[in-house]
Amino acid sequence: MSQIPRRPRMPTLEDVARQAGVSRATVSRVVNGTRNVDPEIQKVVQEAVAVTGYVPNRAARTLVTRRTDAVALVFSVPDRPEDDPFLGRVFGDPFFGRILGGLLTVLRPRGVHPVLMLADSQRAREELAGSLRQEHIDGVAVVSITPDDPLPELLGRAQVPAVLFGRPAAAEVPVSFVDISQQAGARQAADHLVALGRTRVATIAGPQDSPAGRDRLRGFREAMAGHGQRDVPCVAGDFTQVGGEKAMRELLAAEPGCDAVFAANDLMAQGALHVLREAGRRVPEDVAVVGFDDSSAALAARPLLTTVRQPIEDMAAEMAELLLLSLNDPDQPTRSVIFRTTLVRRQSA
Amino acid sequence: MSQIPRRPRMPTLEDVARQAGVSRATVSRVVNGTRNVDPEIQKVVQEAVAVTGYVPNRAARTLVTRRTDAVALVFSVPDRPEDDPFLGRVFGDPFFGRILGGLLTVLRPRGVHPVLMLADSQRAREELAGSLRQEHIDGVAVVSITPDDPLPELLGRAQVPAVLFGRPAAAEVPVSFVDISQQAGARQAADHLVALGRTRVATIAGPQDSPAGRDRLRGFREAMAGHGQRDVPCVAGDFTQVGGEKAMRELLAAEPGCDAVFAANDLMAQGALHVLREAGRRVPEDVAVVGFDDSSAALAARPLLTTVRQPIEDMAAEMAELLLLSLNDPDQPTRSVIFRTTLVRRQSA
DNA sequence: ACCATGCAGGAGAGCGCTCTCCGGGCGTCT
DNA sequence: AGACGCCCGGAGAGCGCTCTCCTGCATGGT
C-alpha cells in the first residue's frame, strides 16, 4: 500500500467541538440533524462549522454506519479476453448513457453516488462481489446484455441489494427488476403496420438467445397472426447496424414483394433503411419500416424512424428507487415494474 | 442518518489473526504484501483468510491511509435548472462512453474505481468540492463541454489532483490535460480536400465560444490559405445534427457552387449529408464532406463519412495515467499530452 | 415537599484497519 | 566472544466518526 501524499490536515469534529465549546457528540447531532439540540447551541455549532470549514469524513462515517452511500452501476457483458479493446464499444452505446442519466435523477438528490463497473469476465464478477463484501458499495444496479448471464443469480443468492434492467433470463431468480412489456411493444408495431394497410410484412429479429430478442419476435408474430398474417418472414440480426443491413438484404432476396419491415431495434432498422435505399425502394411509400427503442439512431436516420419507444430514463429512475428501497430495508420483497412502450410515429412508417 | 440494515457481520483482521494464531499486524502485512513475512507464516495466514472468507474493509483502510482508490469522472456541462430532464442527453452522447471505456482500461487494473459526477450547477460544483474534501475521492478527471467553465480553475487553485480532457479555456490554469492538436487535425482535412482537387471549399464550424470550435476553424482557414484559398465560406453550427443541417442549408444558399465541406464534428457532417442529399447533390462526386471525431455517427452515415479521427480512448487512458501520477505524488508538475489526429478516409471525400 | 418523567448534552467505547515502535533471535564483523 | 546490526513478529495507538449510556436539569403530578 503506497503511502499517503499528505494533504493538509482537514478539520475534524473535535476541532469544531473545541471551537464551539461543546462536545463532539453535540456537533455530530447538529451536523446530522439527529435528536433535538438547543437552537442557541445549534447556531454556535453551525458557525463553528463555517469557521473551521469542516466537512465530515466519509470513511470514518462509513466505518461506523456501514453505509457508503454509493451504488455500483454494473454493465454485464459477454466474457472476453482481458486486453480486448472492445471496452470502448460497450460504453459507446448511447443506451448506456441514458440509463446513467435516469439513475442520476434519483440518486443525486439522495446523495448517493454511482460507481461504474464492468462485469466482463469471471474475475471481474468476483471483484464485484468483493466490492460488495468490502462494503465499498451498498447495492448494485445491473444492466446485462449477456445471454445466460450468471450475475443476476449470483446477486440474488448473495442477498445483495440489487436491481436489474430487464428481466433475468431465469424467471425464478429472486431479484427485483424493471422492464418493458416486449411483446406489447412489438404488438404496437404490428398494429401500426396493419393499420397502414401493409399486407406483406416481414421482420428483422434480434438475437434469439436474448430475452428481448425472443420476446419481441414472439409478440410481433402473435400480433400479426391476430391480424391474419400467419407466416411472417423473419431473419435474425445481432442488434447492430451492419447486422440489420445483412438481414435486410436476405429479406429482400427472399421476399422481394414485402411492403413493411419491423426491426427489433433502431440500429438494425437504420441498416435496413440503407439497404432499402440502395435497392431503390422508397420508404415509407414502397416499404414501411418500424424500429424499436427510440434511440438517437431513430433521429439520425433518414427518413426519420418510426419506432417503439422504450422509456429508458424513466426505467432507470425506477431502478434507482427500487434499489434505494431495498438498501434501506433488506427485507423488502423483490419487486418488478413493467413499463409501457409507446409508438413514436415519424416518417418511416 | 438512517441506521444500518445490518448484514451478517463480516470477518475482520482480528478473526483471521486468531484463526492463524498470529497478530493482526502480521495478517495485515501478508494481505498487503508490505515487508517480508516468513513464507511459512504467510501460508498459514493465507489459509486463514480463505477459511474465514476475509475481505479487507475499505472504509477502515481509507480512514487510516487516506486513500479511497476512487476518482471522480466529472462531466461539466452548462448550468441548467435542477429539474431539466436534459440530463439524459448529456450522457446519451457516445463520446461520453468512449471516454469512460478508455479510463477504465487504466483504472481497472490498478484497482481504482470511477465515480460519476455531473457538474451542471453551482451547487453541483460545490458538492464536488465537498466530495474531495470529505476524502471520498482521490482525484478528478474532468470532461468539460462548457464555454468558460469555472471548474478547471477551481480545481487548479484547490491543488486537487485533476486532469482535464481538452485544454482549459484560460491557458494559465495550472492543471494537467490531454488534448489533440485541433489545428493540425483541421489541416489534415484541408489538405485532403485540396489533394482531391476541390477548389471551392466551405466549412461548418463549431460554436465559437468553445476552444475546439475556434481552433478547428482557425486551423482549417490557415491551411486553406496556405493552399491559396483565402476566403473560406463559413457558417457556425452547434455541434448537433440539426445544427449541421441548418448550417448546410445556409451554406448551400450562399455558396451554391461549393464542392467540398469540412464540418467541425461528425454529427454536423451527418446533418450536412442529409441536406446535400435532399438538394440533389451527390457525395462525394459533387460535394466532398469531411467530418471530425470519428464517432459512431461517421459509420452510421451514408456514404460512410471521411473524418479526422480523435483517439478518444487513448486520450482517456492517458488522462487516467496522468491522474494516477499526480495522485501518488501531489508535487508532480502539471503535464499535458497532445495527441495526433489521423484522417480516416471512407466514402464521403 | 417528593419522586417520576422527559429531554439535552457529555463521556467514552469502538467501528476495522495501518503503522510506528519494540523486542528478541540470528548472522556477521572485529 | 562480544558488539552490532538486521529482520521479522507483536503490541498498541489512533484515524474520525456515531451511538449508547449516563448525568443533570427542568417540569409536572401527587
Side-chain angles (χ1 to χ4, degrees), chain A residues 35-255:
Chain A
R35 257 181 49 172
N36 271 356
V37 174
D38 186 301
E40 197 70 18
I41 298 192
Q42 238 175 85
K43 206 168 134 261
V44 174
V45 170
Q46 268 150 6
E47 274 162 18
V49 167
V51 168
T52 53
Y54 170 76
V55 179
N57 180 303
R58 200 140 169 153
R61 184 178 274 180
T62 295
L63 187 55
V64 26
T65 62
R66 339 215 87 198
R67 278 194 74 121
T68 62
D69 286 321
V71 298
L73 171 55
V74 179
F75 284 77
S76 186
V77 301
D79 287 16
R80 56 188 185 74
E82 301 251 334
D83 54 351
D84 180 341
F86 172 69
L87 208 60
R89 304 271 161 239
V90 177
F91 294 112
D93 192 330
F95 170 68
F96 155 76
R98 291 177 65 192
I99 291 189
L100 186 57
L103 278 177
L104 237 35
T105 57
V106 171
L107 296 183
R108 219 146 67 111
R110 308 292 242 308
V112 175
H113 294 276
V115 179
L116 255 118
M117 302 194 184
L118 198 57
D120 56 355
S121 66
Q122 187 54 32
R123 204 163 139 269
R125 276 188 288 273
E126 276 158 19
E127 267 169 28
L128 168 60
S131 278
L132 278 160
R133 312 199 47 229
Q134 288 182 353
E135 305 182 19
H136 175 214
I137 46 178
D138 295 332
V140 194
V142 181
V143 181
S144 172
I145 50 173
T146 316
D148 302 320
D149 192 344
L151 192 57
E153 191 157 354
L154 234 78
L155 295 171
R157 264 194 220 313
Q159 301 272 31
V160 163
V163 183
L164 310 183
F165 191 97
R167 80 194 72 214
E172 65 289 354
V173 177
V175 58
S176 297
F177 63 87
V178 298
D179 203 350
I180 51 167
S181 170
Q182 309 282 359
Q183 297 187 43
R187 171 175 303 275
Q188 287 174 314
D191 291 352
H192 180 63
L193 291 173
V194 168
L196 250 33
R198 306 298 163 139
T199 54
R200 307 193 55 183
V201 177
T203 184
I204 300 175
Q208 292 301 299
D209 58 359
S210 82
R214 268 198 307 270
D215 293 346
R216 287 174 197 176
L217 177 57
R218 190 145 51 92
F220 190 71
R221 279 202 163 129
E222 285 176 10
M224 288 308 298
H227 289 299
Q229 186 175 342
R230 297 241 152 261
D231 294 312
V232 176
C234 165
V235 177
D238 60 357
F239 278 151
T240 70
Q241 185 187 320
V242 276
E245 293 175 13
K246 188 157 160 292
M248 189 67 235
R249 261 188 279 273
E250 287 180 37
L251 227 37
L252 232 33
E255 303 286 332

Side-chain angles (χ1 to χ4, degrees), chain B residues 185-196 198 201-205 216 220 224 248 259-273 276 283-284 287-294 298 301 303-309 342-349:
Chain B
R187 171 175 304 277
Q188 289 173 314
D191 292 353
H192 180 63
L193 290 174
V194 169
L196 249 33
R198 306 297 162 137
V201 176
T203 183
I204 298 176
R216 286 175 198 176
F220 189 71
M224 287 311 295
M248 190 67 235
D259 61 2
V261 175
F262 165 58
N265 78 342
D266 289 346
L267 244 36
M268 293 197 297
Q270 199 179 14
L273 248 28
L276 287 168
V283 176
V287 182
V289 176
V290 175
F292 205 111
D293 284 350
D294 195 24
L304 293 169
L305 194 63
T306 291
T307 187
V308 179
R309 175 171 177 75
T342 49
L343 186 86
V344 180
R345 206 172 157 188
R346 298 212 177 84
Q347 301 169 338
S348 70

